[in-house]
Amino acid sequence: MRHMRRDLLLFCSAIGINYAMGNLSAFAAPAAGEEHKPVSSRHKSGSATEGSVLGANPQAEEISVKAAGRHADGTSNTTPGGGLMPKQTAPRSQSGVTRDFIAKQAPTGNISSMIANLPGVVYANQSPLATAGDNITMRGMNQSQIGYLFEGAPLADPINYEPYTAMLVDTENLGSVTVSQGSPDLNAPTFNAVGGQISATAMNPSHKYGGFINLMGGNKSANKEFLRLDTGDIGKTGIRGFMSFSHQSNNNWRGPGGLKRYHVDAKFLKEWGDGNSVTAVFGYNRQEQTPFRSPTAAQWKQWGEGLSYSDHYTPGDANYYKLQLSNLNSLDVVVPTHFTLAHGLKLRVTPYFVHQYGPAVGGENIPASGGTFGTQVYGDLNQPYVTNGKITTVAVDPWNQKVGAVNTSLDWTSGHNTLSGGYWYSYAMHEEHSTFATVDFSGKAANSYGAYGIRVPGGALLSGYNLNFMQQTNALYIADTLKLLNDRLTLSAGFRTVMVSRQGTNDVPGADPYKTVRNYFAPLPQVAISYSLTSKDQIYINGTTSFRAPASVQAYSQIFDPNSVGATSQPGNLKGEYGIGEEIGYRHNGTLIHFQVSAFNMNLTNHQVSSTSYIPGTNTLVSMPINVGGETIRGIQGEFGLKPWHHVSPYVSAQYLHATTDNNLPVSATNAAGQSVIDYLPTAGKTMVATPHVTASVGLAYDDNKRFFGNFSLRYISSQFSSFMNDQRMPGYVLSDITLGYRLPHVPHLNGPKIQLNLVNVGNNLYRSAPASFVTSTQSRTGIYGNTTKAGSPIYLVGGNFAALVSLSTGF
């Protein structure tokens, strides 16, 4: 449980009064990443019960609320490493961040950007404000292979697995984030988490009426206005909650255009009795942004960060920035409930609903006549504003997705043994019907998006794809945990089965297949052993399995374009990805020093690398999985942090990673007779793409708990290959950020006003932050069977520039 601020006298009084009444449910909740010392058998929402199964609902740091109290922004200056190393006890590699770190970062950040300093995490941004989408890898596996949970629910796209964390929660409300590198919870409602799991929670509402306001401004016209109102305890109902609203906007750091974002968060909580609680979490996001162009290596060498969309329109210019927009809109409702049914018997039920929708739009010139609609050639489109036989259009992708689901689990503890079981059901529907809207000579769409788009002779809407997709997921798990030797030895074993049913249609003429049906079944056993050498030292070993169905709707359907004869992309290899991993680790949670190190090994079959590329001749990006067969991943990671010592908290993390491709990859080739054939290139044993060998982070936090505070962090990412033949790589880079802050003296009617300066990418390092697409080879080669292969050109994300952001905030 978390609270936002506490006066020591009131806190002590509350303890005495509630103890006398025998009612502990009215206690204020500590901040994210912290809990009171146990005073009852009550557990916080999302925390593990005693003897919980392997990896299930990892516990946060447990500390006492100290006399120093808490600040209005939720910080307490108690977490080791300046908020980067809360106490962990799970029998696996696991790290996290708390409010001590989150509150001192730029208020425009998201869940992914908050964990960029943790071991094994590679966060690649396109904007220093962290608003241009997620791109993150852990142990060489990207965000589509990582399970994202918010308040126990998977709010990521359930089909392409993109987390879109900028839509989920304002960082002013973000309580804590826990990262499990390499293995998911056994009872987590995900089926894509071969690369690990990221779990986030919002701060719990305060028991006291009040609020929090934050106003931010910076270069590139960056601004954010945030307001949260806390109800406090509502009469004697036991209910408390908060609601918040924020507005954010900025100009793009590269090229014209910018961002507009409106966001609403709400959380209401009722607790009663022994471990009973009902929480209702609500989120709404409306966001529109001009995307950034992704260059090839040659374009980066020629243009650097200057490659961008046109800032003025001339007829026929499909690269005009106002024709490129990315909309991320969402509505989320999560209702975690916890019940104590009897002594030792606990039930958790989490229903949730997620609605995410676009549109995404991009400029494209299409033939005024003689183009293609699916496999059919259309006649004259009878559109105005034709230039050189082409119509400049806005290609509209109004994707629309709805998910309804419920996750349940039951824990029965008897003596030293805990038996757990659960069931997860999810139903998702996805619609995606691309259309085209004509652009007039001023650069504006002359007709509306959607139903009033361009129609071919005969009346049908011109489209490159008309997708309708349905997915049902059923998962069952059972696990047992036994504690021996005075609870020093913990043995856990569990088994989970995941069943995924998918079917989709493509209503574009000539689509083959018109309908695709796939069913997946995966058995997923896990086992872990943990032993406490002392009260502060723990060793563990585990073996885990994981599964992921192919990502993206496009993996099941053809994509067409009016400029191309035949499909521009074909359905991919539809086998599911399966991982088997082992870890051994040691951690020390001392009075002053926290340290942990682990070694890991993982073997993947049907490893699917997610690649994003433009439809040829367009500004439309599509995501396609590439099945590269087997992969072997080995490495070692560690982190070190100190609790505040003379107001200073250092932190260091590092990882060495060795990931290789196990198979030779198939590739399109041309034989001596000029015919198209399939050949293979010798990629077996090559380093896997997007897997930097070395990553490291250094942090230093200062907080005197009175007036002055500050943070410094430095991250190093070594070079990464973007081709499976290892003939093109992206250079490594170094980034550093600085935070400086001052808490104002007492101001009447205000609680803890402060001013904070965030400097992002100090030194304005210009760099490519990550490969956005991958190719087998960037050179034309002779395949294993003597055929000539084609060369490819991967594209890259460009990192965000320098940003200076000033925030004024206060509680009230």
Side-chain angles (χ1 to χ4, degrees), residues 537-549:
D537 298 274
Q538 176 192 14
I539 59 173
Y540 61 85
I541 185 171
N542 66 57
T544 62
T545 57
S546 51
F547 164 79
R548 187 185 74 149

Side-chain angles (χ1 to χ4, degrees), residues 97 110-118 121 136 138 177 179 198:
V97 297
N110 59 39
I111 293 171
S112 295
S113 68
M114 293 297 150
I115 61 174
N117 296 280
L118 300 183
V121 176
I136 192 172
M138 295 196 310
V177 186
V179 177
I198 297 173

